[in-house]
Amino acid sequence: MKKLYYDAKKCTACKTCEIVCAIGHSPSKDLYTAILEDNAALPSVRVYAGQDENYPMACRHCKDHPCVSACIASALRYDPKEGLLFDKEKCVGCWMCIMVCPYGAVRPDFRDSKSVRCDLCADIKDPRCAKNCPTKAIIYVEEKAINV
Amino acid sequence: MKRVIIIGNSAAGISCAEALRKKDKEIKITILSKEDYTGYNRCLISYYLAGDIKEDKLVYKPKKFYSENDIELLLNKKAGRIEPKKNQVVLEDKTRLDYDYLVLACGASPKLPEIKGIHKKGVFGFRTISDAKGMLELLPITQAACVLGGGLIGLKAAYGLKKRKIEVKVIVKSPQILSQILDKESAGMCKRRLVENGIEIVSGSEAQEIIGEGDCKAVKLDSGKVIASSIVVVGKGVKPNIELAEDSGIKFEEGILVDEYMRTNIPNIYAAGDIAQSYDPILEKTAVNALWPNAIEQGLIAAGSILGEPNKKYPGSVGMNSVEFFGLPVISFGITRPQDGFEEIVFKDAQQDIYRKIVLKNNVVKGAVFVKRIENIGILLKLARLKVDVSGIKDKLPRPDFNFAFTKDLQYDKEEVYI
């Protein structure tokens, strides 16, 4: 499957990825209306600053996925072709996935008691963070195509 | 054709069956359950009791899951004993079932204190759909309820009942609630939140008797005080259902002892889930960590072992919990109330109810408690599991802005997404 990869040296922590993620997952999908929406989405990608590098962090759709085992509401499932699939409607906000994610890639949204995680922009099948990254630090490619 | 019998139809049993079928289309799989339901999300019964979710959300595996995966599900069937020499399970109705592999995923049961009246109608453990439904049926005639014990299950029941507008008193012998999973500070924060929302915590007392003619009407405490209560929830912990192992030659202590392949001492008998006592990498000894995530993973490991995948070793179970009371989320894992020889690093903002404590031993994470700001605790769980030396960053660990980037220099992760 295609996955997101990050060039930590190219990332300038401009947070464009966070903004386009939040807009893209908000009802209006438009910056100027989204910021006024009560239920504007939280970004599922966060950029964390390191020493000389910056690290965008989003769900890695791990092959080994402790969150799926931990979910008490059967809201998570893993498909080898599509990655981690999240049925938000089933989520009860128990935060077990946050407890076990080894990367801190899931976050809680306390407004509706649902977890927030990257869905690789399933609606357009083209992650907005990668498409809009000004420095091309975020790359969306087939797993096998990349040598890390 | 090989036949696997799985005793128990919850997290461990179902994950085992599902994983077996995924890899082996031939093997015959039978699940025995003493309950009357197809697989359900056991941990959600408190949400159901509270009215936060409807019954349909409890469904974990509907009937069609069993038919589609060719899994024979025998409901209301209780195993009476195991005869390992004959490779047979004998049901309580005397039926004998032959197996090639047996998986004990029989779970655990609430510990009931031996007090007068404990079997009266209106007294519940809080573990099954039936328990939740039993309480819901009594709601119209209930004004007040008592919870015996200040553990997680009891407090979840208290929360659920309070949300149903029932007066709830929690009777706790020790001065601290949630003493199995939280330290004094974080437990105090939870207690305050519960009390602010109308749940009364009665500390220093224990129930002595359940009073009532047939139906429960009141609880008498050892202090002599009598509390009117038509629902009593017993939250005094659970004990693994090891009865089947007794006299069978299967080794057990608190739970059934398993190796890193979830095998018991008898080669073709496995145990997984709340019944199993497995290695705990944080405590560095075996323990029963009866939790949904552990049960799911142990079921998967048992399936792998049965199918002969020797590379899939179980990394061990860890005690971990996540709970939220009236908008205050709390996550903890491992050792939270350390004895001598441990180091504790704390961040606290009392005004905002934020508390983050890390417990270390020889610069290795051994436990953590996060209140309100719960993000990124999973990173610490991973560091604890891998026993990573965190001396270079330990002062930063409890900070609310702690994140994965702080751990980069530790180089414990294979960095598969950063180029």
Coordinates of all heavy atoms in Angstrom, one line a residue, chain B residues 324-370:
Chain B
E324 N -12.2 7.5 32.0 CA -12.6 8.9 32.1 C -13.9 9.0 33.0 O -14.9 8.4 32.7 CB -12.9 9.4 30.7 CG -13.2 10.9 30.7 CD -13.3 11.5 29.3 OE1 -12.6 11.0 28.3 OE2 -14.1 12.4 29.1
F325 N -13.8 9.9 34.0 CA -14.9 10.1 34.8 C -15.4 11.6 34.7 O -14.6 12.5 35.0 CB -14.6 9.9 36.3 CG -14.3 8.4 36.6 CD1 -13.0 8.1 37.1 CD2 -15.2 7.4 36.5 CE1 -12.7 6.7 37.4 CE2 -14.9 6.1 36.8 CZ -13.7 5.8 37.2
F326 N -16.6 11.8 34.3 CA -17.1 13.1 34.1 C -16.1 14.1 33.5 O -15.8 15.2 34.1 CB -17.6 13.6 35.5 CG -18.6 12.7 36.2 CD1 -18.2 11.9 37.2 CD2 -19.9 12.7 35.8 CE1 -19.2 11.1 37.8 CE2 -20.9 11.9 36.4 CZ -20.5 11.1 37.4
G327 N -15.6 13.7 32.4 CA -14.7 14.6 31.6 C -13.3 14.7 32.1 O -12.5 15.5 31.6
L328 N -12.9 13.8 33.1 CA -11.5 13.8 33.5 C -10.8 12.5 33.0 O -11.1 11.5 33.6 CB -11.4 13.9 35.0 CG -10.0 14.1 35.6 CD1 -9.4 15.4 35.2 CD2 -9.9 13.8 37.1
P329 N -10.1 12.6 32.0 CA -9.4 11.3 31.5 C -8.2 11.0 32.2 O -7.4 11.9 32.6 CB -9.1 11.6 30.0 CG -9.0 13.1 30.0 CD -9.8 13.7 31.1
V330 N -8.0 9.7 32.5 CA -6.8 9.2 33.2 C -6.3 8.0 32.6 O -7.0 7.1 32.3 CB -7.2 8.9 34.7 CG1 -5.9 8.5 35.5 CG2 -7.8 10.1 35.4
I331 N -5.0 7.9 32.3 CA -4.4 6.7 31.8 C -3.2 6.4 32.6 O -2.4 7.3 33.0 CB -3.9 6.9 30.3 CG1 -5.1 7.2 29.4 CG2 -3.2 5.6 29.8 CD1 -4.7 7.3 27.9
S332 N -3.0 5.1 33.0 CA -1.8 4.7 33.7 C -1.4 3.3 33.2 O -2.1 2.6 32.6 CB -2.1 4.6 35.2 OG -2.9 3.5 35.5
F333 N -0.1 3.0 33.5 CA 0.4 1.7 33.2 C 1.5 1.4 34.1 O 2.2 2.3 34.7 CB 0.8 1.5 31.7 CG 2.1 2.2 31.4 CD1 3.3 1.6 31.6 CD2 2.1 3.5 30.8 CE1 4.5 2.3 31.3 CE2 3.3 4.1 30.5 CZ 4.5 3.5 30.7
G334 N 1.8 0.1 34.3 CA 2.9 -0.4 35.1 C 2.9 0.0 36.5 O 1.8 0.0 37.1
I335 N 4.0 0.3 37.1 CA 4.1 0.6 38.5 C 3.8 2.1 38.8 O 4.5 3.0 38.2 CB 5.5 0.2 39.0 CG1 5.7 -1.3 38.8 CG2 5.7 0.6 40.5 CD1 7.2 -1.7 39.0
T336 N 2.8 2.4 39.5 CA 2.4 3.8 39.8 C 2.7 4.2 41.2 O 2.7 5.3 41.6 CB 1.0 4.1 39.4 OG1 0.1 3.2 40.2 CG2 0.7 3.8 38.0
R337 N 2.7 3.2 42.1 CA 3.0 3.5 43.5 C 4.3 2.7 44.0 O 4.2 1.7 44.6 CB 1.8 3.0 44.4 CG 0.5 3.8 44.0 CD -0.5 3.6 45.1 NE -0.7 2.2 45.4 CZ -1.4 1.7 46.5 NH1 -1.8 2.6 47.4 NH2 -1.5 0.4 46.7
P338 N 5.4 3.3 43.6 CA 6.6 2.5 43.8 C 7.1 2.4 45.2 O 6.8 3.3 46.0 CB 7.7 3.3 42.9 CG 7.1 4.6 42.9 CD 5.6 4.6 42.9
Q339 N 7.9 1.4 45.5 CA 8.5 1.3 46.8 C 9.9 1.9 46.7 O 10.2 2.6 45.7 CB 8.7 -0.2 47.1 CG 7.4 -1.0 47.1 CD 6.4 -0.7 48.2 OE1 6.8 -0.5 49.3 NE2 5.1 -0.5 47.8
D340 N 10.8 1.6 47.6 CA 12.2 2.2 47.5 C 12.9 1.7 46.3 O 12.6 0.7 45.7 CB 13.0 1.7 48.7 CG 12.4 2.3 50.0 OD1 11.6 3.2 49.9 OD2 12.8 1.8 51.1
G341 N 13.8 2.5 45.9 CA 14.7 2.1 44.7 C 14.1 2.6 43.4 O 14.7 2.4 42.4
F342 N 13.0 3.3 43.4 CA 12.5 3.9 42.2 C 12.6 5.4 42.2 O 12.8 6.0 43.3 CB 11.0 3.5 42.1 CG 10.7 2.1 41.8 CD1 10.7 1.1 42.8 CD2 10.5 1.7 40.5 CE1 10.5 -0.2 42.5 CE2 10.3 0.4 40.2 CZ 10.2 -0.6 41.2
E343 N 12.5 6.0 41.1 CA 12.6 7.5 41.0 C 11.2 7.9 40.4 O 10.7 7.3 39.5 CB 13.7 7.8 40.0 CG 14.0 9.3 39.9 CD 15.2 9.5 38.9 OE1 15.7 8.5 38.4 OE2 15.5 10.7 38.6
E344 N 10.7 9.1 40.9 CA 9.5 9.6 40.3 C 9.7 11.0 39.8 O 10.3 11.8 40.5 CB 8.4 9.6 41.4 CG 8.0 8.3 41.9 CD 6.9 8.3 43.0 OE1 5.8 8.8 42.7 OE2 7.2 7.9 44.1
I345 N 9.3 11.3 38.6 CA 9.4 12.6 38.0 C 8.0 13.1 37.7 O 7.2 12.4 37.0 CB 10.3 12.6 36.8 CG1 11.6 12.0 37.1 CG2 10.5 14.0 36.3 CD1 12.5 11.9 35.9
V346 N 7.7 14.3 38.2 CA 6.3 14.7 38.1 C 6.1 16.1 37.5 O 6.9 17.0 37.8 CB 5.7 14.8 39.6 CG1 4.3 15.3 39.6 CG2 5.7 13.4 40.2
F347 N 5.1 16.2 36.7 CA 4.6 17.6 36.3 C 3.2 17.7 36.8 O 2.4 16.8 36.6 CB 4.6 17.7 34.8 CG 4.0 19.0 34.3 CD1 4.8 20.1 34.1 CD2 2.6 19.2 34.1 CE1 4.3 21.3 33.7 CE2 2.1 20.4 33.8 CZ 2.9 21.5 33.6
K348 N 2.9 18.8 37.4 CA 1.6 19.0 38.0 C 1.1 20.4 37.8 O 1.9 21.4 38.0 CB 1.7 18.7 39.5 CG 0.3 18.6 40.1 CD 0.5 18.2 41.6 CE -0.8 18.6 42.3 NZ -0.6 18.5 43.8
D349 N -0.1 20.6 37.4 CA -0.8 21.9 37.3 C -2.1 21.7 38.0 O -3.1 21.3 37.3 CB -0.9 22.3 35.9 CG -1.6 23.7 35.7 OD1 -2.2 24.1 36.7 OD2 -1.4 24.3 34.7
A350 N -2.2 21.9 39.3 CA -3.4 21.6 40.1 C -4.6 22.4 39.6 O -5.7 21.8 39.6 CB -3.1 21.8 41.5
Q351 N -4.3 23.6 39.2 CA -5.5 24.5 38.8 C -6.2 23.9 37.6 O -7.4 24.0 37.5 CB -4.9 25.8 38.4 CG -4.5 26.6 39.7 CD -5.0 28.0 39.6 OE1 -4.8 28.7 38.7 NE2 -5.8 28.4 40.7
Q352 N -5.4 23.3 36.7 CA -6.0 22.7 35.5 C -6.2 21.2 35.6 O -6.6 20.6 34.6 CB -5.1 23.1 34.3 CG -5.1 24.5 34.0 CD -4.5 24.8 32.6 OE1 -5.1 24.4 31.6 NE2 -3.3 25.4 32.5
D353 N -6.0 20.7 36.7 CA -6.2 19.2 36.9 C -5.2 18.4 36.0 O -5.5 17.3 35.6 CB -7.6 18.8 36.6 CG -8.5 18.8 37.8 OD1 -7.9 18.8 38.9 OD2 -9.7 18.8 37.6
I354 N -4.1 19.0 35.7 CA -3.1 18.2 34.9 C -2.1 17.6 35.8 O -1.5 18.2 36.7 CB -2.4 19.1 33.9 CG1 -3.4 19.7 32.9 CG2 -1.3 18.4 33.1 CD1 -2.9 20.8 32.0
Y355 N -1.8 16.3 35.6 CA -0.8 15.6 36.4 C -0.2 14.5 35.5 O -0.9 13.8 34.8 CB -1.6 14.9 37.6 CG -0.7 14.1 38.5 CD1 0.2 14.7 39.4 CD2 -0.8 12.7 38.5 CE1 1.0 14.0 40.2 CE2 0.0 12.0 39.4 CZ 0.9 12.6 40.2 OH 1.7 11.8 41.1
R356 N 1.1 14.5 35.5 CA 1.8 13.5 34.7 C 3.0 13.1 35.5 O 4.0 13.8 35.7 CB 2.3 14.1 33.3 CG 1.1 14.5 32.4 CD 1.4 15.3 31.3 NE 2.3 14.9 30.3 CZ 2.1 14.5 29.0 NH1 0.8 14.5 28.6 NH2 3.0 14.1 28.2
K357 N 3.0 11.8 35.8 CA 4.1 11.2 36.6 C 4.7 10.0 35.9 O 4.0 9.2 35.4 CB 3.6 10.8 38.0 CG 4.7 10.2 38.9 CD 4.2 9.8 40.3 CE 3.8 8.4 40.4 NZ 3.5 8.0 41.8
I358 N 6.0 10.0 35.9 CA 6.8 8.9 35.4 C 7.5 8.2 36.5 O 8.1 8.9 37.3 CB 7.8 9.4 34.3 CG1 7.3 10.5 33.4 CG2 8.3 8.2 33.5 CD1 6.2 10.2 32.5
V359 N 7.5 6.9 36.5 CA 8.2 6.1 37.5 C 9.4 5.4 36.8 O 9.2 4.8 35.8 CB 7.3 5.1 38.2 CG1 8.1 4.2 39.1 CG2 6.1 5.7 38.9
L360 N 10.6 5.6 37.4 CA 11.8 5.0 36.7 C 12.5 4.1 37.7 O 12.4 4.3 38.9 CB 12.7 6.1 36.3 CG 12.2 7.2 35.3 CD1 13.0 8.4 35.4 CD2 12.2 6.7 33.9
K361 N 13.2 3.2 37.2 CA 14.2 2.4 38.0 C 15.4 2.2 37.1 O 15.3 1.7 36.0 CB 13.6 1.1 38.4 CG 14.4 0.3 39.4 CD 13.8 -1.0 39.9 CE 14.6 -1.5 41.0 NZ 14.0 -2.7 41.5
N362 N 16.5 2.6 37.7 CA 17.8 2.6 36.9 C 17.6 3.2 35.5 O 18.1 2.6 34.5 CB 18.3 1.1 36.8 CG 18.5 0.5 38.2 OD1 18.9 1.2 39.1 ND2 18.3 -0.8 38.3
N363 N 16.9 4.3 35.5 CA 16.7 5.1 34.2 C 15.9 4.3 33.2 O 16.0 4.7 32.0 CB 18.1 5.5 33.6 CG 18.8 6.5 34.5 OD1 18.2 7.4 35.0 ND2 20.1 6.3 34.7
V364 N 15.2 3.4 33.6 CA 14.2 2.7 32.7 C 12.8 3.0 33.2 O 12.5 2.9 34.4 CB 14.5 1.2 32.7 CG1 13.4 0.4 32.0 CG2 15.8 0.9 32.0
V365 N 11.9 3.3 32.2 CA 10.5 3.6 32.6 C 9.8 2.4 33.1 O 9.9 1.3 32.5 CB 9.7 4.2 31.4 CG1 8.3 4.4 31.8 CG2 10.4 5.4 30.9
K366 N 9.2 2.5 34.3 CA 8.5 1.4 34.9 C 7.0 1.6 35.1 O 6.3 0.7 35.4 CB 9.1 1.1 36.3 CG 10.5 0.4 36.2 CD 10.3 -1.0 35.8 CE 11.6 -1.8 35.5 NZ 11.3 -3.1 34.9
G367 N 6.6 2.8 34.8 CA 5.2 3.1 35.0 C 4.9 4.6 34.7 O 5.9 5.4 34.7
A368 N 3.7 4.9 34.5 CA 3.3 6.3 34.3 C 1.8 6.5 34.7 O 1.0 5.6 34.6 CB 3.6 6.8 32.9
V369 N 1.5 7.7 35.1 CA 0.1 8.2 35.3 C -0.1 9.5 34.6 O 0.7 10.4 34.9 CB -0.3 8.4 36.8 CG1 -1.8 8.6 36.9 CG2 0.2 7.2 37.6
F370 N -1.0 9.6 33.7 CA -1.3 10.9 33.1 C -2.8 11.2 33.4 O -3.6 10.4 33.1 CB -1.1 10.8 31.6 CG 0.3 10.9 31.1 CD1 1.4 10.6 31.9 CD2 0.6 11.2 29.8 CE1 2.7 10.7 31.5 CE2 1.9 11.2 29.3 CZ 2.9 11.0 30.1

